[in-house]
Amino acid sequence: MRNNHVNAVVVGAGAGGGVVAKELSTAGLSVVLFERGDWVSFEDHDNDELLSQRTTVLGNAFGPDDDRYRRVVVGGDGSTEIVYPSDGAYSNIAACVGSGTVSYGAMAWRFMAEDFRMKSTYGTVEGSTLEDWPVSYDDLEHCYEKAEWEIGVAGDSSLNPFAAPRKKHYPMPPFSYNREATMLESAMKRMGLHPFPIPMLRNSVPYSGRPACVRRRTCCGFACPINAKCGTHNTVIPAALSTGNCELRTRCVVGSLIIDASGRITGVEYFDRENTKQEQTADVIVVAASATETPRLLLNSTSKHFPSGVGNRYDWVGRNLQGHAYTGAFGLFEEDIFDDVGPGATLAISDFSHHNPGIVGGGILANEFTRLPYLFSNIRPPGSPLWGEEHKEFQRKYFRRNVQVVGPIQEMPFFDSRVQVDPAVRDSWGIPVVRLSGHRHPKDAEGTEFLSRKAEAILKEAGAFQTWRHLPGSGLSGGQHQAGTCRMGEDPQTSVTDRFGRVHDTPNVFVSDASLHVTNGGFNPALTIMALGYRVGEHIAGEWQKGNRFK
Amino acid sequence: MDTGSKLSRRDFIKLATLGFGSLSLAAGCAPQHPAGRAVLSDDDAGLLGAIADRIIPADAWPGGRENGVVSFIDRQLAGPYRRFRREYRRGLDAMTGTCLEKYRKRFEALSTEEQNSFLREMESGRLRDGDWKGGFSNRFFEMLRSHAMQAYYGSPRHGGNPNYASYKMMGIDYPPIIGQNRYRF
């Protein structure tokens, strides 16, 4: 049976796609929203650390599974390895309705004005494709505001003197500090720093018909048992469905875009939940499948008009894969600090986000989400045994007496860190899989060296009797903060989409996820992905209402 | 087991393999064992239990064996860790073979000191010859260590840590909802 033609197809029901589906369906467009995973709930996975989005040793609670999915990773020596979603090197993004917004830690950062003007602010960085965004913070400000109010953010930006200017306050008051944050706050203030409560996509008070957070330790990495965490799965996607204009098709895997004889993209080819190949035609196609899966879909869509993939005329699709170079320090204390007020992370500073001597960019620092028992068993000072009596004694003595201060360093885009499709390896549907290769730009190590020393100094000031830093490796980035692989730009020769996410060379294909990020900020990216979703969605809906059919 | 002192290294390995190389672990099928295990033989379980008690020794709180490390590994080898069966077979046999050669005893029969010293050799990667070629000893040790930690500190639903014993040890065995059943030491 043929599927009815619709106005728009959105591929991926995550942070970006969920928002776009809502914007288009409320504007009256008929929409099919595709999701390769399914709805998940707390009951499916409970509070099981070994099957969480933080520790995937026994699999991915939120998908995808190890049986049907795989990727190829190219090592520094050119050797290749097949990896599975529960392996870290896979750079997994959750496959479920809401994607990462179901299980994320839910930090709700706006990027700063400088984050959209990195090249203008810092100049050219040798060996990096560092560039300005074609949109400014001011262009995106009202989109951030919409994300904060429609999806729901708790915070108080008045305490952060470095925050970009905003027109409207957050819809919910900030969360209170836990004990470690209270202790760190005093230390930071003594050091002349400016601590403030982390803005969170989580209900501090009842909001939008959902209750206030009860502050469990199993929050970051888990679904919320009472729906107090705000994602696209419990806000904009239900709103889209309630218009009657949007159909959500779960467990459907989109393999390629359909290109007709004239070179127009007319829809998508997908495998339904019975693994039967189907087609869905649409006037507009929005790809929001993540910074690894979006370029894969474009590269797997070829014809005589697009011999190397849609949008890839100048070989920019899949380039500049970024994530965050996470770094920080641990401190041990003489007395109990852990008070089990979840999810742990409550306080941050933005003092080191920009204008650090000798550093390009920077990052926030925050106290870390609760380290659950297995994860904590891998946290030990350098030289300490990782097993045996002393290890066990440390586990019970310092679980309540350790503090971690951590932050994401803004990475320098690197042209040769990239997503390709593998020439040989296929997933269980026969679709060529993602092939990842490259490494971090050497400049990132300067940032992490700088930021980790600041984290360590804070812990010492707070009274830690022992501290040690942790630094990321120089290998390929990506991970859950993956970004940059279909960058926006004015010049079609050095970017993949225009300033509204429309793929150059096509009138009707848009991207709406972190692939668009020219640079990835020194912040967790979820709110920026949502804001871009509003920007892309608003643009398509506005044009549609003016009569533009994107021919 | 008195194996005599004149057996060659090759004979030790043969003996080791004949003695307790589990067919199920090697072949990938999973007949039920009398002890209710899915994959591991009694000998495998005995060796893994001894290893578990060194990685997480008993003190005022249970050791690794008592706290379900073996049943966790057995269950995972029949589930998501199917892909590690070959490494387990190779690694357990190599441990037994090397211990017989070096101490004339199986690992389980060594003193605590000897067991710790053997595991440290594995961890450091100083075992490089024969069965341990290719940097296998530290890779296998890290697998054992991390799986034991997962069993001991993970959720009881996976076969280890009955009644959240380790959570009790760490003082966090109450339902993780603030305001309910909380206590301090």
Side-chain angles (χ1 to χ4, degrees):
Chain A
M1 198 176 74
R2 268 178 76 95
N3 289 302
N4 290 331
H5 180 85
V6 292
N7 300 141
V9 152
V10 180
V11 182
V19 169
V20 172
K22 179 250 155 194
E23 286 293 292
L24 300 189
S25 57
T26 52
L29 283 79
S30 56
V31 177
V32 171
L33 174 58
F34 282 103
E35 171 53 48
R36 61 188 168 146
D38 211 335
W39 291 95
V40 292
S41 71
F42 172 75
E43 284 71 22
D44 297 330
H45 302 290
D46 203 352
N47 48 32
D48 183 344
E49 184 191 359
L50 304 181
L51 259 172
S52 71
Q53 193 72 354
R54 294 276 273 178
T55 303
T56 60
V57 291
L58 297 185
N60 288 305
F62 303 92
D65 57 82
D66 284 1
D67 296 327
R68 296 178 299 169
Y69 294 86
R70 67 215 62 164
R71 284 178 180 171
V72 173
V73 173
V74 183
D77 59 357
S79 62
T80 60
E81 187 189 0
I82 293 180
V83 295
Y84 297 90
S86 64
D87 296 325
Y90 184 94
S91 271
N92 179 48
I93 293 283
C96 60
V97 178
S99 188
T101 72
V102 177
S103 57
Y104 58 7
M107 290 192 191
W109 298 106
R110 291 184 178 203
F111 284 7
M112 293 161 64
E114 292 92 329
D115 293 315
F116 300 91
R117 293 282 178 269
M118 287 297 285
K119 191 175 180 182
S120 301
T121 307
Y122 295 101
T124 302
V125 172
E126 199 186 334
S128 170
T129 43
L130 191 72
E131 189 51 84
D132 291 349
W133 292 46
V135 297
S136 67
Y137 172 79
D138 291 337
D139 293 331
L140 217 50
E141 202 274 337
H142 78 282
C143 298
Y144 276 124
E145 182 184 297
K146 260 173 111 167
E148 287 165 354
W149 283 77
E150 291 191 6
I151 302 171
V153 174
D156 178 1
S157 71
S158 71
L159 296 171
N160 175 13
F162 305 100
R166 57 168 56 238
K167 295 200 174 70
K168 197 171 173 182
H169 56 84
Y170 290 111
M172 289 179 274
F175 281 92
S176 61
Y177 293 145
N178 54 3
R179 192 184 302 160
E180 73 177 15
T182 306
M183 177 189 76
L184 291 170
E185 183 196 25
S186 319
M188 288 166 170
K189 284 184 169 167
R190 288 196 297 275
M191 297 167 80
L193 302 171
H194 302 83
F196 60 92
I198 300 171
M200 287 285 189
L201 284 141
R202 196 151 46 81
N203 287 359
S204 60
V205 292
Y207 187 73
S208 284
R210 290 177 290 105
C213 173
V214 291
R215 311 202 64 171
R216 296 162 51 90
R217 76 173 85 103
T218 47
C219 171
C220 181
F222 301 86
C224 178
I226 61 164
N227 236 352
K229 188 151 61 179
C230 314
T232 55
H233 64 296
N234 55 11
T235 56
V236 286
I237 291 173
L241 299 179
S242 71
T243 63
N245 295 330
C246 179
E247 181 195 341
L248 173 61
R249 256 175 236 166
T250 58
R251 285 159 58 197
C252 288
V253 175
V254 177
S256 61
L257 308 182
I258 303 168
I259 308 166
D260 73 10
S262 71
R264 180 175 168 77
I265 288 144
T266 57
V268 298
E269 193 173 80
Y270 69 99
F271 293 89
D272 67 15
R273 49 176 62 198
E274 273 80 46
N275 297 321
T276 305
K277 198 184 267 193
Q278 295 213 43
E279 293 188 351
Q280 175 63 57
T281 60
D283 301 311
V284 178
I285 292 95
V286 182
V287 187
S290 80
T292 42
E293 291 294 327
T294 288
R296 177 193 182 198
L297 180 55
L298 297 181
L299 293 171
N300 274 331
S301 305
T302 56
S303 78
K304 66 177 185 202
H305 304 90
F306 301 102
S308 58
V310 169
N312 200 33
R313 182 184 303 269
Y314 297 102
D315 190 24
W316 276 71
V317 171
R319 297 284 191 175
N320 306 305
L321 176 63
Q322 298 152 68
H324 280 125
Y326 261 85
T327 190
F330 293 97
L332 300 182
F333 291 80
E334 302 280 9
E335 72 282 345
D336 283 7
I337 293 158
F338 180 71
D339 58 359
D340 211 358
V341 176
T346 53
L347 157 139
I349 49 170
S350 194
D351 295 68
F352 306 119
S353 292
H354 282 288
H355 311 298
N356 302 299
I359 306 297
V360 179
I364 48 138
L365 281 174
N367 68 323
E368 175 62 325
F369 293 105
T370 301
R371 278 79 62 213
L372 290 168
Y374 168 62
L375 198 156
F376 182 63
S377 77
N378 287 307
I379 295 171
R380 293 296 183 272
S384 276
L386 289 170
W387 54 284
E389 286 156 17
E390 193 182 327
H391 179 272
K392 189 179 181 187
E393 173 65 18
F394 189 103
Q395 186 84 357
R396 60 180 170 244
K397 184 167 183 187
Y398 290 112
F399 182 74
R400 299 170 164 276
R401 299 180 174 197
N402 82 91
V403 176
Q404 184 182 5
V405 173
V406 64
I409 275 286
Q410 168 145 215
E411 294 179 348
M412 295 299 103
F414 183 56
F415 195 63
D416 287 334
S417 283
R418 65 190 296 204
V419 174
Q420 297 169 280
V421 290
D422 194 81
V425 179
R426 305 271 196 275
D427 64 17
S428 77
W429 295 273
I431 307 166
V433 304
V434 163
R435 178 186 175 96
L436 298 165
S437 60
H439 57 81
R440 285 198 169 95
H441 188 279
K443 197 86 188 155
D444 300 345
E446 296 173 18
T448 54
E449 177 68 22
F450 168 82
L451 200 64
S452 61
R453 290 209 180 280
K454 298 294 182 188
E456 189 172 39
I458 290 164
L459 288 163
K460 283 187 172 142
E461 176 63 30
F465 70 84
Q466 185 178 1
T467 57
W468 68 99
R469 298 183 296 137
H470 59 95
L471 298 161
S474 58
L476 182 65
S477 190
Q480 292 170 359
H481 293 190
Q482 59 190 249
T485 51
C486 296
R487 74 160 44 169
M488 297 176 132
E490 303 289 4
D491 182 355
Q493 297 197 25
T494 56
S495 61
V496 177
T497 83
D498 73 5
R499 58 207 319 274
F500 292 106
R502 184 185 55 81
V503 175
H504 300 308
D505 282 354
T506 77
N508 65 334
V509 178
F510 289 81
V511 171
S512 187
D513 59 28
S515 309
L516 295 175
H517 295 191
V518 177
T519 48
N520 205 24
F523 299 96
N524 307 52
L527 196 75
T528 299
I529 298 169
M530 292 165 175
L532 284 169
Y534 282 105
R535 177 175 173 85
V536 173
E538 265 179 9
H539 171 74
I540 297 171
E543 289 293 307
W544 188 271
Q545 284 164 343
K546 281 190 259 173
N548 183 352
R549 293 297 176 264
F550 302 98
K551 300 291 187 195
Chain B
M1 180 162 75
D2 181 13
T3 54
S5 56
K6 287 179 182 165
L7 286 173
S8 70
R9 179 180 157 70
R10 183 178 294 274
D11 288 328
F12 276 116
I13 306 308
K14 259 192 214 158
L15 189 71
T17 313
L18 284 174
F20 48 89
S22 153
L23 265 181
S24 59
L25 190 50
C29 58
Q32 278 294 317
H33 288 273
R37 289 184 298 270
V39 175
L40 298 169
S41 69
D42 288 349
D43 283 327
D44 292 333
L47 173 53
L48 277 171
I51 297 165
D53 273 346
R54 293 286 65 77
I55 292 176
I56 306 160
D59 47 21
W61 298 90
R65 185 200 308 254
E66 186 188 341
N67 206 37
V69 169
V70 179
S71 62
F72 171 89
I73 291 174
D74 181 62
R75 200 191 291 186
Q76 301 319 314
L77 286 172
Y81 288 171
R82 273 186 305 269
R83 57 180 160 145
F84 298 134
R85 279 192 197 182
R86 190 172 300 175
E87 280 91 339
Y88 266 90
R89 180 74 277 137
R90 178 184 168 189
L92 296 180
D93 287 348
M95 283 184 73
T96 299
T98 309
C99 286
L100 287 174
E101 188 176 24
K102 191 168 173 185
Y103 298 104
R104 303 287 182 257
K105 285 178 188 168
R106 293 154 64 126
F107 180 86
E108 304 91 294
L110 301 180
S111 70
T112 300
E113 273 316 297
E114 286 168 332
Q115 288 181 337
N116 280 334
S117 126
F118 188 82
L119 291 173
R120 277 194 293 271
E121 291 271 304
M122 283 177 70
E123 182 184 27
S124 67
R126 285 194 291 268
L127 299 175
R128 299 183 155 279
D129 301 329
D131 301 328
W132 299 110
K133 275 199 185 99
F136 181 62
S137 86
N138 44 332
R139 275 209 320 277
F140 184 59
F141 178 83
E142 180 51 27
M143 186 179 288
L144 290 169
R145 189 197 72 81
S146 58
H147 292 178
M149 294 298 168
Q150 290 162 20
Y152 198 97
Y153 293 112
S155 166
R157 72 198 295 210
H158 302 300
N161 198 17
N163 301 315
Y164 282 104
S166 65
Y167 275 48
K168 191 165 227 162
M169 174 178 92
M170 296 167 73
I172 51 170
D173 62 322
Y174 48 84
I177 292 179
I178 294 303
Q180 290 185 11
N181 303 331
R182 305 183 65 207
Y183 68 85
R184 295 182 190 289
F185 285 124

